[in-house]
Amino acid sequence: MREDSFYQEDQEEMDFPAGYPAYLREVGPAEETYGTLSYNRRGKCWVIKGEPCVTELAKRLFPGCAGKGRGVARFTAHRRIIGDLNWLMLRYPLEIKESDREKWEEALQDARAYAVRRAQSLRAPARVTPPETAFRGQLMPFQQQGLAFLLNNPRALLADEMGLGKTVQALSLVAATGGYPVLLVCPPHLIRNWQREAQRFLSPEGGLRVHVLRGLTPYELPEADFYIVHYLLLRGWKQALPKAGFRTVIFDEIQELRHAGTEKYSAASLISDACDRVVGLSGTPIYNNGGEIWNVINILDFHFLGDWESFTREWCYGYNSAIVAKPDLLGEHLRREGMMLRRTKQQVLSELPPKRRLVQEIDWDDELYRQLMIPVIQRARTLKEVDDASRRAILEDQISQEERQATGIAKAPYVSAFVRTLLDGGESVLLFAHHHKVMDLYKKELKAYRPAFITGRENEKQKDEALNRFMSGRTNLCVISLRSASGLNLQRASCVVFGELDWSPAVHSQAEDRAHRIGQADSLLCYYLVSPRGSDQDMQEALGLKVSQFIQLMGDETPDEEKQWMAQSSAREHVRRLVERLTEGGDG
């Protein structure tokens, strides 16, 4: 809405106040032409063959223009670059090949529509809210700005820093446009979270239907509104998905496509070409070098930055060099042209609460969990025959601990993948867990980040060294036992991640406080990573994590005896229900 009414992008009135810009007006009949213009379908470019005075000028003036040999100049067939070519033809008329005249008229109309849309975006409302009937949720002011940007730019990259709600902004776009069916492409460990968030926020007429694609072999897709596939499956669905009729595609963590030449990349490119709206989400679109952004932008809008040869020649240190000479200038160009929007936490800090808690459901290894639960099931059956209260209490505690450990182990690879994303985005992370076996898996999975460990197994010297390594910036990851965090001051952390949960809300609050202090001029992001099964489900209930994505109460008050008793009571009730399920033949 334009603050008070919904903004429709597809308006019939799409003109500039005084018509089209001068460089896009029609090229009239000319007494003299300076060469020919033809379309190369294989190279997706327009080719000038003409007098050297024209082709040499084209190559000097336009970074997107290339061409080997005298008298040849090549323009990428992108609607933004077509304007450059038309401007040149106003001064040096060219004879358009008859078989390509209709193609040229289409290209020119597309370029004009693009120019109109860019001008419109400057006059469009700065903030937009989606219709309440289609979207369940409220956007913060900067997220309303993000929605306005995405509405004005159908092919764009939302590059907000981690934790600023790229997911909810993308979903609000779907609600605002009604752009169903939607295809969501994401890393494997984020599938469950997207499924949950889509069902939570989107409410099209008739209710949201979600389908998650399975396997590399294509099958007939069922009727749905929201389809989810992970990047590793794209190669198998390369031919099928572009023909499926998706109106919107969202590439989450689009840096997964920063390397061209793979079947995954090729499939993503074909899907993008077939969709009306293409959105890329990433807080870290560029990893090793600036040239990777060319691959990412190419997925969103083919040859927006010209072909690889001209891009490297003009933006990088030399032909085929992937190092961008002036990254800040390239970033400004992408923002100015409506291709990228990026906000950092510091820029929107005044709109953020001091502490943000987000519950994120991640995937897990179901088969591994079942194997780990075999001895737990046997122990649960033994418990039925124990009458001694003391012995029963010991067995109940063992059952609870072993089930929690099985849950932690089954989701550990996916927790590690999530933390890896944070670290690659430049965050400094405190990763909390409970069981040593789980922390050992983190150590193996995250070895490349040289994590520090404070787990209760270290002596004082080792603990101090781990603390110093993290606080001095020699590592951006510190793995800590939930029950070993008291007294530590780790304010350097920008994110807290709970890979495992505790029954007591106070334990989590105290762990968060290792990174958050009163008076701290920052907004701490706390992720609670939960699995779809196992102990996490009942623990979520006990902690209040199912109430909202942004939890309001999570043990912020000093725990008293009553709260401690309630936590213990929740744990005992969970064991009682677990034993009943296990002895009835279930696996928890």
Side-chain angles (χ1 to χ4, degrees):
M1 300 182 179
R2 294 180 184 261
E3 303 283 359
D4 57 349
S5 64
F6 177 51
Y7 171 70
Q8 296 286 350
E9 181 216 358
D10 298 324
Q11 304 173 58
E12 293 183 9
E13 298 291 333
M14 286 186 62
D15 288 337
F16 282 73
Y20 295 114
Y23 67 88
L24 282 171
R25 71 173 187 263
E26 196 77 36
V27 177
E31 295 182 2
E32 182 180 0
T33 57
Y34 292 80
T36 62
L37 179 69
S38 61
Y39 183 67
N40 183 317
R41 284 163 175 78
R42 185 175 182 180
K44 295 183 179 180
C45 63
W46 290 93
V47 181
I48 297 175
K49 291 184 178 179
E51 298 181 20
C53 64
V54 179
T55 55
E56 191 268 340
L57 179 66
K59 293 173 190 177
R60 264 195 304 127
L61 286 180
F62 303 113
C65 178
K68 294 180 180 179
R70 186 182 299 110
V72 177
R74 186 179 68 242
F75 284 79
T76 297
H78 186 277
R79 57 189 179 276
R80 188 174 59 83
I81 297 175
I82 291 298
D84 297 339
L85 177 55
N86 195 73
W87 179 86
L88 181 68
M89 289 170 62
L90 290 170
R91 171 63 180 85
Y92 295 101
L94 299 170
E95 181 181 349
I96 301 175
K97 191 176 178 181
E98 192 60 37
S99 59
D100 293 327
R101 184 167 293 281
E102 185 177 347
K103 180 73 175 176
W104 171 254
E105 290 299 326
E106 291 176 1
L108 190 58
Q109 288 302 320
D110 193 27
R112 287 169 174 168
Y114 174 76
V116 166
R117 193 160 50 240
R118 293 301 309 131
Q120 268 193 331
S121 68
L122 299 176
R123 306 194 302 270
R127 296 178 184 174
V128 176
T129 56
E132 293 180 2
T133 55
F135 185 75
R136 297 188 297 264
Q138 289 187 334
L139 301 179
M140 288 182 272
F142 76 88
Q143 293 171 335
Q144 294 171 7
Q145 292 171 350
L147 174 56
F149 169 81
L150 293 175
L151 282 169
N152 287 316
N153 300 282
R155 292 175 175 267
L157 171 64
L158 182 59
D160 283 349
E161 205 170 54
M162 181 74 70
L164 296 187
K166 293 186 290 296
T167 298
V168 75
Q169 290 175 78
L171 293 176
S172 71
L173 172 70
V174 173
T177 59
Y180 300 104
V182 178
L183 178 66
L184 185 283
V185 188
C186 66
H189 68 280
L190 295 179
I191 285 178
R192 290 187 184 276
N193 190 68
W194 270 102
Q195 187 173 5
R196 189 184 74 162
E197 295 300 272
Q199 290 169 331
R200 177 174 173 239
F201 284 107
L202 297 178
S203 54
E205 187 176 347
L208 186 74
R209 299 166 298 172
V210 179
H211 177 73
V212 179
L213 279 68
R214 305 291 183 188
L216 284 166
T217 303
Y219 52 84
E220 186 175 349
L221 292 174
E223 286 282 334
D225 307 296
F226 204 91
Y227 296 84
I228 304 175
V229 63
H230 65 71
Y231 284 104
L232 300 179
L233 297 185
L234 284 184
R235 59 187 176 89
W237 289 80
K238 178 179 176 178
Q239 302 303 324
L241 290 179
K243 301 173 184 176
F246 300 114
R247 292 181 60 197
T248 306
V249 60
I250 301 169
F251 293 103
D252 188 24
E253 303 296 348
I254 195 174
Q255 71 272 10
E256 293 277 340
L257 300 173
R258 65 190 185 276
H259 298 303
T262 65
E263 285 294 292
K264 173 176 70 174
Y265 188 92
S266 176
S269 181
L270 291 174
I271 294 167
S272 176
D273 285 346
C275 288
D276 298 330
R277 285 188 175 272
V278 186
V279 178
L281 305 178
S282 176
T284 54
I286 306 170
Y287 273 64
N288 297 322
N289 55 63
E292 292 173 356
I293 195 69
W294 184 85
N295 290 328
V296 170
I297 297 300
N298 237 27
I299 290 292
L300 297 173
D301 199 351
F302 184 72
H303 276 193
F304 178 90
L305 290 172
D307 59 21
W308 175 249
E309 179 182 323
S310 59
F311 172 77
T312 56
R313 185 183 70 241
E314 299 300 329
W315 286 104
C316 302
Y317 278 107
Y319 175 68
N320 264 344
S321 167
I323 308 300
V324 175
K326 295 181 178 180
D328 54 339
L329 193 62
L330 177 57
E332 178 58 33
H333 173 66
L334 294 174
R335 286 188 289 271
R336 184 177 57 238
E337 291 294 320
M339 178 51 67
M340 181 178 76
L341 176 66
R342 177 172 174 79
R343 279 81 57 84
T344 66
K345 184 172 63 175
Q346 291 301 319
Q347 289 172 327
V348 299
L349 196 58
S350 61
E351 298 180 33
L352 300 176
K355 190 188 293 186
R356 292 167 291 154
R357 296 183 175 114
L358 291 87
V359 182
Q360 185 129 345
E361 189 169 297
I362 60 171
D363 213 335
W364 78 339
D365 189 329
D366 202 48
E367 180 59 34
L368 177 58
Y369 175 76
R370 281 198 289 267
Q371 292 176 6
L372 294 171
M373 287 299 290
I374 292 174
V376 184
I377 294 171
Q378 295 170 346
R379 205 181 301 280
R381 288 170 179 163
T382 302
L383 183 64
K384 286 272 189 178
E385 303 168 2
V386 176
D387 296 324
D388 180 69
S390 177
R391 176 64 179 154
R392 282 188 67 84
I394 293 173
L395 277 174
E396 285 178 351
D397 183 63
Q398 288 177 333
I399 291 169
S400 177
Q401 290 294 338
E402 288 177 6
E403 189 217 13
R404 287 176 63 192
Q405 181 171 276
T407 302
I409 290 173
K411 66 177 182 176
Y414 302 95
V415 170
S416 299
F418 183 87
V419 171
R420 199 175 293 121
T421 301
L422 293 176
L423 293 168
D424 288 341
E427 304 287 351
S428 49
V429 180
L430 299 184
L431 173 57
F432 285 96
H434 180 67
H435 296 92
H436 290 312
K437 286 187 177 180
V438 174
M439 287 183 273
D440 288 342
L441 288 172
Y442 296 160
K443 186 175 185 177
K444 178 182 177 182
E445 293 277 346
L446 298 165
K447 181 180 178 181
Y449 298 89
R450 300 177 63 248
F453 283 84
I454 302 175
T455 67
R457 291 184 287 188
E458 299 81 13
N459 58 39
E460 283 301 315
K461 183 178 179 181
Q462 291 170 326
K463 183 177 177 180
D464 289 343
E465 171 60 19
L467 180 64
N468 290 334
R469 282 185 60 221
F470 181 77
M471 291 303 292
S472 65
R474 284 178 284 161
T475 179
N476 284 327
L477 174 61
C478 188
V479 181
I480 310 176
S481 170
L482 276 165
R483 300 278 176 159
S484 298
S486 60
L488 296 176
N489 181 2
L490 296 160
Q491 280 181 270
R492 181 175 169 270
S494 58
C495 290
V496 170
V497 177
F498 292 99
E500 289 191 278
L501 304 180
D502 193 280
W503 285 104
S504 170
V507 168
H508 292 279
S509 184
Q510 289 168 357
E512 291 173 350
D513 286 345
R514 299 313 100 211
H516 184 266
R517 290 288 183 273
I518 295 175
Q520 181 175 329
D522 202 349
S523 179
L524 182 68
L525 192 55
C526 304
Y527 284 104
Y528 289 76
L529 304 185
V530 299
S531 61
R533 296 176 60 205
S535 60
D536 279 1
Q537 295 306 298
D538 282 346
M539 296 179 88
Q540 274 184 267
E541 200 78 60
L543 295 169
L545 299 182
K546 291 189 176 181
V547 176
S548 168
Q549 182 187 27
F550 295 90
I551 311 139
Q552 300 302 316
L553 291 174
M554 246 296 299
D556 290 334
E557 300 174 3
T558 303
D560 55 25
E561 289 186 10
E562 182 181 0
K563 288 186 175 64
Q564 292 177 358
W565 179 87
M566 288 176 64
Q568 294 168 3
S569 177
S570 297
R572 287 195 298 270
E573 177 61 21
H574 167 72
V575 173
R576 185 189 65 77
R577 291 198 299 265
L578 175 64
V579 169
E580 287 180 0
R581 291 199 299 267
L582 295 180
T583 53
E584 289 171 2
D587 60 4

